Every structure is written in C-alpha cells, then in structure tokens.
Amino acid sequence: MTEIKDLVKKLITASGLSGDEGPVREIIEEVWRPFTDELSVSKLGNLYGFRKGVGEEPRKSVLIATHMDAIGLIVSHVRDGLLRIDEIGGIDQRILPGQMVTVHTQGEDLPGMVVQPPAHTLPDEAQSGPVPLKYLFVDTGLTPRQVARKVRLGDLVSFATEPIEFEGDCLSGHSMDNRASVVALTEALKLLTKRQHQWDVWAVATAQEEETMGGALTSGYQLRPTLAVVIDVTHAKSPGTPEHLSFEMDKGPTLGWGPNTHPKLYEAFEDLAKELEIPYQREVYARSSGTDAWMLQVAVEGIPTMLLSIPLRYMHTPVELLHVKDIARTSRLLAEFITILDDEFLDKLNWEKTEE
Ligand SMILES: [Zn+2]
C-alpha cells in the first residue's frame, strides 16, 4: 500500500485545476511512461497513454478515463489588496473560511488564506449560517501595492491542505477526487505490464471534468474506443449520511448500474469481481452519474460504458478521505477486466439474446 499512498500524495500535492491541468499532467506523464508504449496530449489537455494489445488487427480498444482536474478557486476581483474569488467546479462553500490556499500568479506561488468579514459587517441575511462565497476573500498578507503588482484577475487558487495518513490505511487530502482514480488506473497499467491483453488500451487522464466534461467527450471522438470504463469517486458512509445514498469504505469500489452504464458490461464486472473475490458494491444511478461516463456513453455513435467509483468521504472539500485498499481493489479489478477482453467479448454486449 505504501507505493499507492506515496503516489496519491504526490498527485494531490500538484495543482491542476479544471482547464489548467498542466502541472499534474506532467507528473502523470512521467509516471505512466514506463507502463505505456506511447504518450500524447490532446488539444483540450487530456493525457493519452497507449498500450498495444497482442490480438490480431484490426484490434479493438478499451478506453479508461480518470479525470485529473481538481476543484479550486479563481481570482475574480481585487480590492484593497484582498482577492475576491469564484469557484472552479462545485466547492462545498461551508468549509471555505479558514482554509489555507496557494495563489498561482504568473511569477510565483503565494500563500494565502480564505477569510470572512466579521458577521456584524455583513448584510442581515448573511449574518447567520455559512457565509456565501460572494462575501469571502483571500488574504495573502501582502500590501495592496504588492498584490496589484503580482496578482492578475483569473489567477487560480488551489487548496494547500497537506495530505494526512491515518491509522488503518486511510488517507485524507484535497483533490482525492479524482487523483485517487488516476492512481488506480496507474496501478492497473503497472499490473498489465506482467499480463497479456488482446485489446489495445487507452489510459486517459481527462481534463475539465469538473467544469465541462469536455475532456471525456473529445477523447471518445478522437480515440473511438470499442468500450469505455470510467473511474471516479462516490460518497462514502459517515455518521449521518443517508443509508441509501452512501457506500462503505474498505468494501471495494462501487459498480455503477442504471441508464448511464451498459447492463451487460456491469454484469461482466460483477461476474469477474465475484470470481476473483474482490469486494464490490452496487451503486444505482437513476439518472446522469455526473461523471465522464455521461459524456463517453454518448460520444461518436455511442460507446458501451461502465463506471467504477471509489467510496470517499467529504467530497469536494479540502479534507476528502478514503481507504487506500479500495484503490488497490479497483486497479486489480480493472486490470483483470482488460485481460479477459477477447474477440468474443462484444457478443456478450448484444441487446438481443442470441439463441443457438
Ligand atoms: Zn470526480
């Protein structure tokens, strides 16, 4: 588990907010290099890692999408040396005041903190309960003159929370959504170096999931895979979470079921998990999963898509928490799935039952 933990920590410490994934992409590129035959970056900023299969041409391909972009903040206004901010992706705004952040300016990274004005200075409606984002600002401790010189509108602000390792293989930090899944995919690629696979594999670290899901959509059109598998995070149980809307940590990934996933692909994953005795949980999505799976499923002429999710607590806060073994289980299930893909696999996805 140490390798997984170290890689998660490395990836969540890198910035890379939606639309500006460069810093984290460069790290993933280096990490994927030994496990892939080719690496490239798309026009929108996706990272593609290609592993050639051993099957006969024309080979089928499976695309695995894990979004690498993170949520954060953007400087929307500067006044008296203080930075007004807007959100990149959906942030749980209740936890913002008091957070340490990093302001990424053109020249340097500045430390800062999100602060709120004293309650009595706010309008009546904002005096109780969480203070809305529009009243919050970032203080960098610099003078108005220094701020005017260094900070530009549109500079990005990311969380500066340090990762924490807890007893029993739990890890906390910001951007676990979805860097944890990038790690699961990385581990699967590593496992595949020791196994044969018939199909080609496209490992994709997608851009912009938290904003436009455009990374996933464009990867579907560009790479035209036969199948797609998306890995993301889902809500884990914690005291007070509704039983039916959250999942156990340390009980394996969830397998997505519903109109956003292909039922026969679901079955293939479920059968495999049972056979390999990898724990899993069934997660029902009655509508859009809100993940890259939503876009990939309808890209090109439609791509049979499956969604695996790693249970995680406190989503979209700087202290997301998960169990590292769930990452390992996800990567193993994924790698094993890739190795069972053969010429006949697509027959399993037929909508009509074929009678002999
Ligand atoms: Zn996500």
Side-chain angles (χ1 to χ4, degrees), residues 235-239 241-249 311-313:
H235 292 282
K237 282 193 197 315
S238 58
T241 51
E243 194 70 25
H244 62 296
L245 295 176
S246 51
F247 300 86
E248 299 279 358
M249 288 206 298
L312 165 144
R313 285 183 186 167

Side-chain angles (χ1 to χ4, degrees), residues 277-303:
E277 297 182 356
I278 298 173
Y280 71 93
Q281 308 171 67
R282 180 177 168 111
E283 177 163 13
V284 174
Y285 290 97
R287 47 195 76 81
S288 165
S289 63
T291 69
D292 280 343
W294 190 239
M295 287 292 160
L296 277 162
Q297 189 186 31
V298 295
V300 205
E301 74 264 38
I303 302 169

Side-chain angles (χ1 to χ4, degrees), residues 67 69 177-178 209-210 231-233 290-291 315-316:
H67 75 84
D69 58 308
D177 171 7
N178 191 31
E209 190 268 354
E210 301 286 1
I231 313 175
D232 210 317
V233 296
T291 69
M315 199 187 292
H316 286 200

Side-chain angles (χ1 to χ4, degrees), residues 103-137:
V103 183
H104 305 281
T105 72
Q106 289 249 292
E108 60 191 306
D109 283 351
L110 305 173
M113 55 211 174
V114 183
V115 289
Q116 58 188 11
H120 72 273
T121 64
L122 290 168
D124 288 349
E125 75 274 9
Q127 286 191 8
S128 60
V131 177
L133 183 65
K134 62 180 174 183
Y135 298 116
L136 304 180
F137 44 86

Side-chain angles (χ1 to χ4, degrees), residues 49-342:
F50 177 71
R51 269 189 69 83
K52 196 169 161 199
V54 297
E56 274 176 33
E57 301 210 34
R59 268 187 305 281
K60 296 179 175 59
S61 66
V62 57
L63 183 160
I64 320 295
T66 55
H67 75 84
M68 64 177 149
D69 58 308
I71 57 167
L73 301 161
I74 184 167
V75 177
S76 58
H77 190 242
V78 180
R79 188 169 168 195
D80 300 331
L82 298 171
L83 319 176
R84 289 281 184 208
I85 40 178
D86 204 342
E87 57 184 337
I88 296 279
I91 290 189
D92 191 333
Q93 299 178 8
R94 295 169 301 171
I95 48 74
L96 279 177
Q99 291 298 334
M100 303 310 292
V101 292
T102 305
V103 183
H104 305 281
T105 72
Q106 289 249 292
E108 60 191 306
D109 283 351
L110 305 173
M113 55 211 174
V114 183
V115 289
Q116 58 188 11
H120 72 273
T121 64
L122 290 168
D124 288 349
E125 75 274 9
Q127 286 191 8
S128 60
V131 177
L133 183 65
K134 62 180 174 183
Y135 298 116
L136 304 180
F137 44 86
V138 169
D139 192 335
T140 57
L142 299 175
T143 64
R145 249 179 119 169
Q146 287 171 314
V147 168
R149 210 172 59 233
K150 292 174 189 247
V151 180
R152 286 190 324 171
L153 294 187
D155 280 348
L156 295 172
V157 180
S158 57
F159 292 123
T161 332
E162 290 290 332
I164 307 175
E165 246 182 82
F166 293 103
E167 280 293 309
D169 287 330
C170 278
L171 199 58
S172 148
H174 66 81
S175 313
M176 299 279 232
D177 171 7
N178 191 31
R179 309 273 166 86
S181 303
V182 177
V183 174
L185 171 53
T186 307
E187 288 298 308
L189 290 172
K190 204 187 285 178
L191 292 172
L192 288 176
T193 58
K194 300 190 193 87
R195 304 284 298 273
Q196 276 215 340
H197 50 94
Q198 301 288 313
W199 289 27
D200 288 339
V201 177
W202 286 105
V204 182
T206 61
Q208 297 188 18
E209 190 268 354
E210 301 286 1
E211 287 278 342
T212 65
M213 293 190 197
L217 183 68
T218 52
S219 73
Y221 279 93
Q222 191 176 349
L223 306 175
R224 309 209 161 220
T226 318
L227 301 178
V229 180
V230 173
I231 313 175
D232 210 317
V233 296
T234 188
H235 292 282
K237 282 193 197 315
S238 58
T241 51
E243 194 70 25
H244 62 296
L245 295 176
S246 51
F247 300 86
E248 299 279 358
M249 288 206 298
D250 196 19
K251 293 276 169 66
T254 70
L255 306 184
W257 173 270
N260 192 186
T261 54
H262 196 295
K264 302 277 175 82
L265 258 185
Y266 175 94
E267 270 170 33
F269 269 92
E270 187 171 63
D271 290 348
L272 194 60
K274 281 182 185 159
E275 190 188 315
L276 299 165
E277 297 182 356
I278 298 173
Y280 71 93
Q281 308 171 67
R282 180 177 168 111
E283 177 163 13
V284 174
Y285 290 97
R287 47 195 76 81
S288 165
S289 63
T291 69
D292 280 343
W294 190 239
M295 287 292 160
L296 277 162
Q297 189 186 31
V298 295
V300 205
E301 74 264 38
I303 302 169
T305 297
M306 180 58 192
L307 173 61
L308 311 184
S309 305
I310 300 169
L312 165 144
R313 285 183 186 167
Y314 324 123
M315 199 187 292
H316 286 200
T317 76
V319 288
E320 294 173 333
L321 176 76
L322 55 69
H323 202 284
V324 179
K325 273 195 197 140
D326 289 331
I327 300 179
R329 289 167 177 139
T330 306
S331 56
R332 176 148 178 258
L333 184 58
L334 177 64
E336 294 286 347
F337 171 76
I338 291 169
T339 59
I340 63 162
L341 293 170
D342 56 15

